[in-house]
Amino acid sequence: MVDLSSHLFLLSLSLHCCFIACLAANTKNITTDQSALLAFKSLITSDPYDVLANNWSTSSSVCNWVGVTCDERHGRVHSLILLNMCLRGTVSPNLGNLSFLVILDLKNNSFGGQLPTELFRLRRLKILHISYNEFEGGIPAALGDLSQLEYLYLGVNNFSGFISQSIGNLHQLKELGIGRNKMSGPIPQTILNMSSLEHINLAVNYFSGTRTF
Ligand SMILES: *[C@@H]1O[C@H](CO)[C@@H](O)[C@H](O)[C@H]1NC(C)=O
Ligand SMILES: *[C@@H]1O[C@H](CO)[C@@H](O)[C@H](O)[C@H]1NC(C)=O
Ligand SMILES: *[C@@H]1O[C@H](CO)[C@@H](O)[C@H](O)[C@H]1NC(C)=O
Ligand SMILES: *[C@@H]1O[C@H](CO)[C@@H](O)[C@H](O)[C@H]1NC(C)=O
Ligand SMILES: *[C@@H]1O[C@H](CO)[C@@H](O)[C@H](O)[C@H]1NC(C)=O
Ligand SMILES: *[C@@H]1O[C@H](CO)[C@@H](O)[C@H](O)[C@H]1NC(C)=O
């Protein structure tokens, strides 16, 4: 007779080992956050006030870097706030590895290029503030994946294309700013489903279609 219990034991043992190995391979930690921020820094081509140049050094913890805060519970990067610093460059896709990021505020710099789609993996994000920059290209449909988002400011950039229907998935969103861009097409009806929305600014774009609200 086959000893079922020993088979089960071996099976659970191997599952357990895989679990630990897989976890080690997939788990991000503060080292991941550091490399994400260094990748972000490496794509900044101009930093006239030398904000990051000397301060973002591997000789101190990222949690002590200017503009960075960590949360006590996970010891991971919680916010990245670098507004009004005249930074120029593009945004590294590696920022998408800051898996505990809640606040990303790059307001009023000269970041350009397209928003990397990896940013839309930041499922804990509550505040995304990137107005007053030089971003261009479309706002990806993956925006709707940021289900915790409460404040979204994309105004005064060069974003173009349509607003995705998926924006209606942002049920926590309180404020939406897309004013002064080059957005076009109809404003999606799904906006009516955003029950938390208190403030919306879509002014100075090329929207068209019938007004439904
Ligand atoms: C982070 O994880 C990597 C492996 O994924 C490991 O080598 C490294 O020591 C870890 N760092 C910390 C600070 O836990
Ligand atoms: C970086 O800036 C922060 C905040 O201004 C400061 O507390 C920290 O000591 C600085 N670190 C270095 C290495 O200069
Ligand atoms: C942008 O930042 C600069 C300083 O770097 C400041 O002079 C300017 O008033 C800011 N503009 C906005 C719209 O916040
Ligand atoms: C972080 O993100 C980049 C690009 O999205 C990726 O290539 C890299 O391997 C990721 N992981 C780590 C641990 O840095
Ligand atoms: C948008 O693009 C136009 C034309 O390329 C440029 O003149 C303008 O400065 C850009 N605006 C922003 C906010 O990036
Ligand atoms: C609003 O949400 C409800 C329930 O999730 C869905 O059935 C409906 O189609 C949505 N309406 C619009 C305009 O997206």
Side-chain angles (χ1 to χ4, degrees), residues 165 168-169 171 188-194:
Q165 303 265 354
N169 297 338
H171 295 293
Q189 291 265 353
T190 52
I191 277 187
L192 299 174
N193 252 359
M194 298 169 70

Side-chain angles (χ1 to χ4, degrees), residues 28 32 35-36 93-97 118 121:
K28 298 185 169 79
T32 326
S35 48
N94 289 46
L95 276 198
N97 290 339
E118 287 80 358
R121 296 201 309 234

